[in-house]
Amino acid sequence: MLLGLQAMFLPFYVPAQKKLKVVIIGGGCAGIAAVTALSRYASDVEITIIDPKENHIKVTHLHETFRYPLSDLIVPFTDIEKRFNCRHICAAVTFDVSTLQQWQKDKCLNVNNEIVSFDYLLVATGASSKDDIHQEQVLSLSSFMKKAGSGLLNCLDLQSNEVESVITVVGGGATGIQFLFELQQFLCRKNTNFRLRLIHSGE
C-alpha cells in the first residue's frame, strides 16, 4: 500500500499478529518524521529507509548555520539506524507512475540488486528544485546544505558601496521568515549597509 504523508500525522495501526515491513523512499525531513512517528506508534515495525546520501541533514534548521557550523545539523544514517532500529540502504531510486503501480502490485522493489519487500511504501522524496540554474548571487536551500550560511554570505562583498544593496528572500513561509531573522542578525554583526527584501504572493 502506498502511504500519503498525511498518514504520518495519525497513530499508525498495526495488527498484533503480523510484523509489518515499511519502506520509506527519502531520508529527508519527511522521511525521518515518518520514522519517528512509526517508532512511537508502531515500535515493532520493520523500517527500511532508502536514500542516496550517507547523512541526514536537518533542513528545517539550515537558517541556524549563520551562527553554528553546518556539521551540527548533519546526522549519519548509521546513527539513525541505531536510534530507531531501522535499516538504511544507500541508493538513489527513480520511478514514474507505472513503476509505482508495479511496486504496489509486487509488494517489493529492486534496490542495488536486492529485492526489498514491503507491506507499506512511503514515498517521501519531496519536490526537486531547479538547481541547474547556477548563479553566484542566487542561493537555494541546496546551497545551505553544502555550506554554512555564514560562509556563503562571507563570500559576498558585504561592504558594498552601491546606493542600494539588497538581499532578497523569496517565499514568506516559515523557512523564509526564519532566514530573514537570521540574515538580519548576521548583517547587524557585520555592520553592513545591506537591507532585506521579502517577495511573497500573499498579504
Side-chain angles (χ1 to χ4, degrees):
M1 176 184 292
L2 295 175
L3 288 177
L5 286 182
Q6 65 271 20
M8 291 299 102
F9 292 102
L10 303 174
F12 197 82
Y13 174 72
V14 180
Q17 70 273 19
K18 181 180 180 181
K19 182 171 184 176
L20 295 182
K21 296 180 179 180
V22 177
V23 171
I24 301 172
I25 299 177
C29 181
I32 299 305
V35 172
T36 303
L38 285 168
S39 66
R40 178 178 178 185
Y41 294 112
S43 58
D44 199 34
V45 171
E46 184 180 310
I47 305 170
T48 301
I49 305 168
I50 302 175
D51 192 278
K53 298 180 288 296
E54 295 183 358
N55 302 303
H56 164 74
I57 298 178
K58 299 179 182 178
V59 178
T60 55
H61 292 263
L62 284 177
H63 60 281
E64 296 177 3
T65 62
F66 288 102
R67 291 175 286 133
Y68 306 112
L70 180 61
S71 57
D72 286 3
L73 307 182
I74 295 176
V75 182
F77 277 111
T78 52
D79 291 354
I80 293 172
E81 287 178 310
K82 293 174 186 174
R83 179 176 177 184
F84 295 103
N85 192 29
C86 61
R87 179 188 179 204
H88 168 240
I89 298 177
C90 190
V93 178
T94 57
F95 55 87
D96 54 22
V97 174
S98 62
T99 307
L100 287 172
Q101 291 172 338
Q102 190 63 49
W103 288 345
Q104 180 154 328
K105 178 182 176 183
D106 298 339
K107 291 288 186 180
C108 66
L109 62 157
N110 191 321
V111 183
N112 291 349
N113 295 318
E114 174 187 352
I115 301 299
V116 181
S117 61
F118 61 83
D119 296 296
Y120 292 92
L121 173 66
L122 174 63
V123 179
T125 53
S128 59
S129 60
K130 296 180 179 179
D131 284 338
D132 54 324
I133 304 175
H134 293 291
Q135 298 180 25
E136 290 184 7
Q137 301 299 98
V138 178
L139 303 175
S140 67
L141 282 181
S142 296
S143 306
F144 290 88
M145 292 171 71
K146 298 169 185 170
K147 191 172 185 178
S150 56
L152 289 170
L153 262 68
N154 279 330
C155 293
L156 301 177
D157 182 10
L158 294 177
Q159 302 302 324
S160 174
N161 293 318
E162 295 180 19
V163 176
E164 183 178 66
S165 301
V166 180
I167 295 178
T168 302
V169 174
V170 180
T175 302
I177 298 302
Q178 287 174 323
F179 268 93
L180 275 177
F181 282 122
E182 293 291 345
L183 279 165
Q184 191 265 343
Q185 292 297 318
F186 179 83
L187 294 173
C188 282
R189 290 196 299 271
K190 292 292 182 178
N191 193 27
T192 73
N193 60 349
F194 273 71
R195 69 181 185 86
L196 297 173
R197 174 171 54 201
L198 174 68
I199 296 177
H200 187 69
S201 60
E203 292 295 327

